[in-house]
Amino acid sequence: MIQFARVAGAAALIALLAACTTAPPAASPSPRAAAPRPTMAPPHDAPGQAVDEVPAPVSLAERPRPELLGGEVPREFQRGTASWYGPRFNGRRTASGERFDMREFTAAHRTLPFGTLVRVHSLVNGRDVDVRITDRGPYAGNRIIDLSRAAAEELGMLGLGFKEVVLMVPESTPEVDVAPPLPARKRPPPVRRAASPRLR
């Protein structure tokens, strides 16, 4: 009986020691902080532009070609009406001394230096043509440039005769007056007729 009591006590002591030495349960790992989501830039957030501001659309006809002109960046020089001249002047000397050829891409302007390359951009249909200044004019109405027949055909203005255009010139083109005042027209002196002899 005593032996049994000793065995039972020893078993109870072993169970108690085992309970004391059991490692505590591992703490559950703390949830990792979620990585901040990248914020997307608001639309139309350009320098100097409000977030809600949307640029107004620009008519295609008002956007000249961005390509170089004579190897240089073009700049706007003048806006106005273009006209053209052809067969009646073909073969005549221009103000620069060259012979006018209506099949070449040339033009007349009142102030731009001879030889200046000019991009003529139509505000009617958006077409472009590059011409070289070889003559002076036009001197009628509010026109700013006279194109050769070939250049006018390229712009699609043969039927119209006149067209609203933008003139672009190379960046290095010297600053000149857009259009000096037209020279005053002198009135021809009155024609004096000889008095008819009176019959007596």
Side-chain angles (χ1 to χ4, degrees):
M1 188 72 179
I2 297 173
Q3 185 70 23
F4 177 76
R6 287 180 179 175
V7 172
L13 182 62
I14 291 173
L16 181 63
L17 290 176
C20 292
T21 58
T22 303
S28 61
S30 60
R32 296 176 63 184
R37 300 178 65 183
T39 56
M40 300 296 290
H44 311 298
D45 192 12
Q49 185 181 39
V51 173
D52 296 333
E53 181 183 349
V54 178
V58 180
S59 170
L60 289 176
E62 295 190 6
R63 285 189 237 169
R65 289 186 314 189
E67 290 91 349
L68 300 180
L69 178 59
E72 296 184 48
V73 176
R75 63 176 170 85
E76 183 173 329
F77 174 71
Q78 192 176 8
R79 290 185 178 226
T81 305
S83 55
W84 66 277
Y85 63 131
R88 196 175 74 172
F89 299 92
N90 198 47
R92 293 189 183 182
R93 290 279 183 190
T94 63
S96 66
E98 297 183 29
R99 294 278 184 188
F100 174 65
D101 187 345
M102 65 180 185
R103 296 163 297 184
E104 294 183 356
F105 293 94
T106 58
H109 192 271
R110 287 162 59 188
T111 58
L112 284 171
F114 294 133
T116 302
L117 292 178
V118 179
R119 176 163 298 149
V120 185
H121 175 80
S122 169
L123 292 176
V124 177
N125 56 22
R127 293 188 186 179
D128 297 288
V129 65
D130 293 350
V131 297
R132 185 171 53 89
I133 301 300
T134 60
D135 206 356
R136 287 289 174 241
Y139 292 106
N142 62 344
R143 292 174 284 170
I144 62 172
I145 194 168
D146 253 344
L147 302 173
S148 66
R149 189 186 192 282
E153 186 175 10
E154 188 73 14
L155 284 186
M157 59 179 285
L158 290 183
L160 299 175
F162 301 94
K163 182 167 285 192
E164 294 301 309
V165 297
V166 178
L167 303 185
M168 309 289 290
V169 296
E171 191 65 40
S172 64
T173 303
E175 296 290 339
V176 294
D177 292 332
V178 170
L182 292 173
R185 292 186 177 181
K186 294 182 180 180
R187 292 185 178 181
V191 178
R192 293 184 179 181
R193 296 180 179 177
S196 58
R198 293 183 180 179
L199 297 177
R200 292 183 180 178

